[in-house]
Amino acid sequence: MFGIPSNMPSSAFDELWRLQQEVDELFGSWSSPLGIRSVPRGSFPAVNVGQTPERVDVYLFAPGIDPKSLEISMQQNLLTISGKRELKAGEEADYYRQERFGGEFRRVISLPEEVDPERVQAKYVDGIVQIGVQRRESARPRQIEIH
Amino acid sequence: MATNSEVTRRGSGAAAQQASGPAAQRTQATEAPIRPPVDIWEDKDGITLCADMPGVSKERLSLRVDGNNLIVEGQLQLELAQKAEALYADVRSSLYRRSFSLSGELETGKIEASLKDGVLTVRIPKRAELRPRKIEVQGS
């Protein structure tokens, strides 16, 4: 940790934790500070965010939900998504595995500051909630012509 | 449209955006398939499997029985704006894959599957003659 040699005894937990750090480092997330609203890896729903000079697109990997149950709101550049996922349970069934997430969820995503909270669109396709937010015109890169 | 694998690869950490060359190649080479979470339960007529595979359409889903194994694969596709670059990514691969070994009392020829909103449901019936029978105890 921190590159400081240590002779502290290490437990199995420490080893796992270090492995997690190494994985994070491998994927490049270690060098950057942790977002204050970020959630641990594996939280439901997973989120990807893509950007272009014109817009920011947020993808929530939320399969099998009723899109009407979703609440999506934006305050400045903070996007909040909450909802509930109800899992269909088999009647008189014996479970071997229950790995899928069920219940209520909430995620807050901090978008670039210059997004326009008035221009947001959302849709649900193949279990992915896609939320597109336009950037403010004034914040977009402009080509300056030379006369 | 950029391809999805491009974004999920680019999503391999913000560092991948700046770093081209060996680091970028490494993230591509290590694109491991996603292991979709599953629920599996059994009732008297068969086994049901539900798998979360968001972003997979019917056309990009493959379900096959190979010998004794049931193999589930799917290709994830996102609708991406042109020249999109990743700001953040939990999902860093575009392939789902998981396999399960079946057992002899299951009727692999009669497996039924459906895909809705990114959830795959597979129903594997038991052979009729092998469904559990309640055995009556004869009393005198």
Side-chain angles (χ1 to χ4, degrees):
Chain A
M1 246 333 273
F2 304 119
I4 301 166
S6 159
N7 51 10
M8 294 273 283
S10 68
S11 67
F13 178 80
D14 288 337
E15 287 296 313
L16 276 177
W17 189 77
R18 206 176 63 194
L19 184 69
Q20 175 73 54
Q21 295 299 313
E22 280 173 15
V23 169
D24 281 352
E25 192 172 359
L26 184 69
F27 287 114
S29 59
W30 168 235
S31 51
S32 52
L34 196 63
I36 197 76
R37 293 184 176 87
S38 66
V39 294
R41 194 181 300 273
S43 298
F44 185 92
V47 173
N48 279 17
V49 185
Q51 67 168 351
T52 71
E54 293 83 33
R55 55 186 291 147
V56 176
D57 284 296
V58 178
Y59 304 86
L60 277 110
F61 296 77
I65 57 164
D66 177 2
K68 291 193 194 92
S69 76
L70 278 177
E71 274 190 38
I72 303 171
S73 65
M74 259 195 93
Q75 190 185 12
Q76 304 276 37
N77 63 321
L78 279 187
L79 176 68
T80 303
I81 302 123
S82 58
K84 193 175 178 182
R85 188 190 197 207
E86 291 180 33
L87 294 180
K88 184 181 69 183
E91 282 174 27
E92 287 184 35
D94 296 317
Y95 275 87
Y96 299 116
R97 283 176 185 272
Q98 280 186 284
E99 298 169 349
R100 297 164 67 226
F101 173 88
E104 292 183 0
F105 59 85
R106 178 184 149 93
R107 275 196 86 157
V108 180
I109 300 154
S110 177
L111 300 178
E113 303 252 328
E114 68 277 10
V115 294
D116 187 346
E118 304 298 321
R119 291 159 72 205
V120 186
Q121 282 181 318
K123 61 179 171 179
Y124 188 57
V125 182
D126 291 335
I128 292 183
V129 185
Q130 184 182 343
I131 303 165
V133 191
Q134 299 286 321
R135 286 178 193 268
R136 290 182 197 280
E137 304 279 352
S138 56
R140 293 182 191 169
R142 278 185 307 134
Q143 186 82 38
I144 295 160
E145 282 178 38
I146 300 165
H147 293 286
Chain B
M1 290 290 281
T3 66
N4 176 58
S5 61
E6 276 172 27
V7 128
T8 45
R9 275 179 199 142
R10 270 185 260 147
S12 302
Q17 279 176 37
Q18 291 111 34
S20 49
Q25 280 164 17
R26 186 185 61 189
T27 54
Q28 280 192 15
T30 55
E31 191 190 347
I34 304 162
R35 216 168 88 112
V38 295
D39 287 351
I40 301 176
W41 68 89
E42 177 166 0
D43 56 33
K44 62 181 171 46
D45 299 324
I47 289 179
T48 306
L49 179 155
C50 272
D52 283 350
M53 302 172 80
V56 176
S57 60
K58 224 171 246 181
E59 297 73 37
R60 291 168 184 272
L61 176 76
S62 146
L63 187 71
R64 61 183 202 273
V65 176
D66 185 359
N68 198 32
N69 293 331
L70 174 70
I71 299 149
V72 179
E73 276 179 344
Q75 192 77 38
L76 190 166
Q77 193 175 37
L78 297 179
E79 277 181 43
L80 297 170
Q82 227 169 8
K83 292 183 184 166
E85 55 182 49
L87 266 182
Y88 176 82
D90 282 333
V91 178
R92 291 153 184 210
S93 174
S94 55
L95 179 68
Y96 293 96
R97 183 188 291 142
R98 203 160 173 184
S99 56
F100 307 88
S101 66
L102 302 170
S103 60
E105 82 284 4
L106 298 170
E107 191 120 52
T108 52
K110 290 192 178 166
I111 293 176
E112 285 177 7
S114 63
L115 180 69
K116 185 174 186 285
D117 293 337
V119 177
L120 169 70
T121 305
V122 183
R123 176 75 184 162
I124 313 161
K126 292 179 195 173
R127 290 183 201 281
E129 67 274 19
L130 291 173
R131 285 179 197 164
R133 279 182 302 129
K134 185 142 177 131
I135 296 158
E136 296 290 332
V137 178
Q138 303 281 320
S140 57

